[in-house]
Amino acid sequence: MRTSARNAGKVSDSKPLTEVFPATRGTPALTERKRAANSKLADAMPAPEPAPASKRAHKAQRKRAKKAKSSEKHLRQFLSSVTVDGDTFSVGDDAYLRMTDDFDEDEFTEVELCQMCGYTEPQEVPMIECDRCLLGYHITCLRPPLTNVPKGDWLCPSCVSGKPRRGRKAGAGTAREHLLAGGKKLALVHIQALWQEPDGSKCFAGRWYEVPENTHTGRQKHHAAREVFLTRLVDNNGVESLWRLAQVCLPDAFAQATGDDAFICEYEYDAVWQRFRRRTSDVNEDDSDWAASDGEAASDEEADGTFKPQYAFWAEKGAKGPTKGKGTAVTPALNRHKAPQQGGSEWIEAQRDSLSGLGAAEIPASSRQGEGASPLARAQAVLALTANPRTMPCRDSERAAITSFVEESLTAGSSSGRCLYVSGVPGTGKTATVLETMRSLRRKAEAGHLPAFQFVEINSLRLPSPQHAYTHLYEALTGNHVGPTTAAASLEEMFSSGGRGGTSKRVTVLLVDEMDLLVTKKQTVLYNLFEWPVRKGSRLAVIGVANTMDLPERLLPRIASRLGSRRVVFQPYTRQQLETIAKTRLEGLDVFESRAIEYAARKVAAVSGDVRRCLELLRRAAEITEAKTKQAAASMVKMSHVDDAINEMFQATHMQMMRNCCRLEKMLLAAVLMESRARGHTDVMMENVHVRLEGLCQGHSEPNVAVGAAVAAATRLGSKRLILADPGAKRLYMRMSLNVPVDDLSHILKHEDTIEWLKDLSF
């Protein structure tokens, strides 16, 4: 056999052709023509000599080591604790911060002096602190002397007599006294993260505390003497600026705090919108609207990629860790004590990233490009209801109407009151669009294009009672938690007489979500909320959000007249809009067939147009695909997988129970659904439901249903947990509400075969 010069030395002349290209088992012998063709093919295909396995493995290992060594030069290493001047600081600690170059720790005393004797001794005699002026007294030096430390708040003789509040100057006393007196040499921060830079320097991210004097309300009577507020501003500094540890506690834990460096922090404070929020036990609790603003987000190339739970707040912003920006001081912490004025370039740059925490949060880049996660797993992450996109597609006209309303309210100021009613069926993006609009308007206000304003959101689902809307609003504006009656009186004064009773000259934009839950018998709460904006000089604008489009018509005339005719209606999403939203979520992830997304969008649009159901349907289809295929990385979600998810959704237990209901029970469910939607309340009375049921029977030639039969059917539905109902003994006065999703019930009734006329009803 002849070999070409290209293959000389690689294929032997004496080797048979069948050894070079062995025939498939069971095939006949090759003909001369096939041998000639294979000979030419063998000449054209070289067979390079493979390298030894050990050599290839060694080469790959060297390549990986070189790549790892190169990447380590650009990565920072996160730490759990650092030691500075013998003191250990850990993530989650609170600490003092040096704020000046000439900081001298010797000028701060370590002990408190008695205001009566001027000494700290004798040590065995307890020294108590006045809860108003924070000065110390030996219990034996008081006149008359005390035998035990009093429980609860205690005031010194000077404060009891009504003398002006005393206190040391900022330049003297202990570190705690210097901080609370407004001194410029110390600050208080909460350590959010610790890390080591590639050059070996160690830095930390600190979230700042503020004293009441630095808030827009100033120090009020209800503020504790040691009270501080946790702000949203986070800065990065070198660990050399940390001085010593402090304790910042919730009010319940403050009684057990030891040492002089103990403070109370009950509220978080947003300086941009001048509002307060009650803290929880977790400083780093995830709340998109109150996320700490770092102002400096790291790029993916600089990130480590692995985090401990303490650093989760960085990952939520799509960053792997903080970076040290240009001009950031390391020692001491000089880059921030007094925040830049709103509207300045420094303020805009420092606050720009904080806007991602408002309203709809951006999908983290880690969800799209997470290492080790399959494309299907990343698709499930971005389709989850908790991973909202940065923008709401297909709502441009509604967003423009809301923006126009707020801008007009800010421009008009106190000249006139303004109210806006936003309505639409559930799942149409009402609240998310409003919050996204407020985020963009906040950016304009920071840039100086709009007047600064306050923004407060009230979610009626979280209120114990409708009257607690007063408490929530007053607490957000002042940081003082009082009862509904006191809060209503204070708000009445605040929004009356030209706003002289208020603490801010800014316009307040109030968002009342789930407004229909505030409807009471006398409707006093809604009347006050929509009456205050029309007061002269009130500086209040209200945006009400509810699912019922005709809610204003069902309110009392005095409320409807103040609500006005300015409305924004969110229509259910169409098939094209649902498809656009799903593709926007899945941008960069090629795991869904286009027909599969269209199929899911058509199914949901035909029932309700709820975008949440469409996203959940696609997410479940991705889960089914991943479970059925072994190689999930190379799998595609097809129409069959979406169909499996749809069948699974409609084969749920409550769906089967509704299908198996008797004729009267299905008619009663239809009457409850229609009555609930007509009245705009989730719970309805049997008396009204029975009237509507009789109307359905008379209009469709059905036999009349007695009250006893309707009550018995409601009791059976309650035992199946399809509705929540009072005991049947109340008969016409029993209250009931649906305990199943409205969309599922509508689907069952529209596809009912035994009662044909149910398909023609409008649900």
Side-chain angles (χ1 to χ4, degrees), residues 519 672 675 679-689 711 714-715 718 723-738:
V519 177
V672 172
E675 183 67 20
R679 293 188 173 273
H681 297 287
T682 56
D683 55 334
V684 292
M685 296 283 293
M686 171 57 78
E687 182 180 9
N688 300 325
V689 173
V711 172
T715 304
I723 65 172
L724 301 176
D726 289 338
K730 294 186 177 182
R731 294 181 67 80
L732 290 177
Y733 297 101
M734 67 182 298
R735 305 188 70 87
M736 64 187 75
S737 62
L738 293 174

Side-chain angles (χ1 to χ4, degrees), residues 333-347:
L334 299 174
N335 60 336
R336 180 262 176 206
H337 180 63
K338 184 176 181 181
Q341 294 296 323
Q342 181 169 337
S345 58
E346 295 180 2
W347 176 265

Side-chain angles (χ1 to χ4, degrees), residues 21 230 294 313 364 487:
F21 296 98
L230 182 65
D294 58 340
F313 89 105

